[in-house]
Amino acid sequence: MESQTGLLDHLVDLRKTLLRSFAAVALIFLSLIYFARDLYRFLAEPLMVHLPEGTSMIATDVGAPFFAPFKLTLMVAVLLAIPFLLHQIWRFIAPGLYKHERRLIAPLLISSSLLFYAGIAFAYYVVLPLAFGFFTSMAPEGVAIATDISSYLDFVMKIFFAFGIAFEIPVAILLLCWSGVVTPAQLRAKRPYVIVILFVVGMLLTPPDIISQTLLAVPMWILFELGVFLARFYTKKSITTEEE
């Protein structure tokens, strides 16, 4: 009977967590919907500055001028709500964690949010301008560049999420070492293989040009080294010692 009561309590807490999360995203979305076109204009800026004079983006679908900014605004609302969503996850799982786990998880949630945003900012301000500059310069003579707004949105959001997730490497390494799956020494020993894997991942997650691939692989390598360095100070062994 007690187990059933406990399960119901968890389900009620989960329902509250989901409702609060949905409400936060909806509130941010409603506050941004008026600026949907401005948001899309800001998103398109890295491409627009490289388009030939007199050209612009196009909409090949009748509803695209409305749905593309609408879709972008919803994605922005979810991205802006990430700290709150992670806080809700933290509130839900915190009662089941040990004291030392709570001390580690809270900073990891904060750092993972900051790293995700850093990855998106790096993609917007560094990767996209270089990639679009490369693409437009490679267009054959006589070919007019006219990018569809929906295709552009899908392309850019894939880049954003790829870089946002890639920048979570230090957090992933800390969690792996914290759980005892690997050790910093083992990761350092596998460094050559990791570097090759990172460049392969960069090739798969970015457009087929060496600039974008390198701009993703090199930061991931640096973040890998940072994660390995930080993991030395918080491994499963150190946690066990701390508990004793």
Side-chain angles (χ1 to χ4, degrees), residues 7 10 15 39 44 51 60 70 75 85 91 114 116 144 176 217 230:
L7 178 60
H10 284 301
R15 178 177 176 273
L39 289 174
L51 289 179
T60 57
F70 183 89
M75 292 180 176
L85 299 180
R91 282 170 54 92
L114 295 177
F116 189 82
L176 289 173
L230 295 176

Side-chain angles (χ1 to χ4, degrees), residues 4-20 88 91-92:
Q4 292 180 348
T5 304
L7 178 60
L8 289 176
D9 290 339
H10 284 301
L11 291 176
V12 170
D13 289 340
L14 178 60
R15 178 177 176 273
K16 291 180 179 178
T17 299
L18 293 175
L19 288 176
R20 284 193 292 261
Q88 291 303 303
R91 282 170 54 92
F92 182 72

Side-chain angles (χ1 to χ4, degrees), residues 134-226:
F134 173 80
F135 291 151
T136 54
S137 66
M138 295 300 292
E141 186 176 353
V143 175
I145 302 174
T147 303
D148 177 67
I149 59 175
S150 297
S151 299
Y152 176 80
L153 175 61
D154 293 339
F155 173 83
V156 172
M157 295 310 297
K158 288 178 182 177
I159 294 292
F160 282 172
F161 279 102
F163 275 82
I165 294 174
F167 271 54
E168 300 292 336
I169 288 178
V171 175
I173 291 176
L174 285 174
L175 289 174
L176 289 173
C177 294
W178 170 50
S179 61
V181 175
V182 296
T183 65
Q186 291 174 331
L187 290 174
R188 287 193 296 270
K190 301 295 184 181
R191 181 181 284 116
Y193 304 101
V194 171
I195 294 174
V196 173
I197 292 173
L198 293 179
F199 273 88
V200 171
V201 171
M203 177 183 66
L204 295 175
L205 295 181
T206 58
D209 67 279
I210 191 63
I211 297 176
S212 300
Q213 295 168 8
T214 303
L215 287 175
L216 178 58
V218 172
M220 284 196 298
W221 181 12
I222 296 173
L223 291 168
F224 167 78
E225 299 293 346
L226 176 63

Side-chain angles (χ1 to χ4, degrees), residues 24-116:
V25 173
L27 181 62
I28 297 174
F29 172 76
L30 292 176
S31 63
L32 292 177
I33 192 63
Y34 178 79
F35 306 99
R37 289 185 295 179
D38 296 324
L39 289 174
Y40 195 93
R41 189 180 301 113
F42 177 76
L43 184 73
E45 187 64 24
L47 175 62
M48 296 300 295
V49 297
H50 292 290
L51 289 179
E53 187 176 354
T55 61
S56 63
M57 301 177 69
I58 62 173
T60 57
D61 185 77
V62 176
F66 170 78
F67 286 109
F70 183 89
K71 182 179 178 181
L72 172 62
T73 305
L74 180 59
M75 292 180 176
V76 171
V78 173
L79 291 176
L80 293 179
I82 283 179
F84 180 81
L85 299 180
L86 291 177
H87 179 260
Q88 291 303 303
I89 295 174
W90 162 247
R91 282 170 54 92
F92 182 72
I93 66 174
L97 299 176
Y98 293 107
K99 184 178 180 180
H100 69 272
E101 291 175 333
R102 289 196 294 270
R103 286 204 300 267
L104 178 64
I105 292 298
L108 285 180
L109 292 178
I110 296 173
S111 61
S112 62
S113 298
L114 295 177
L115 286 170
F116 189 82

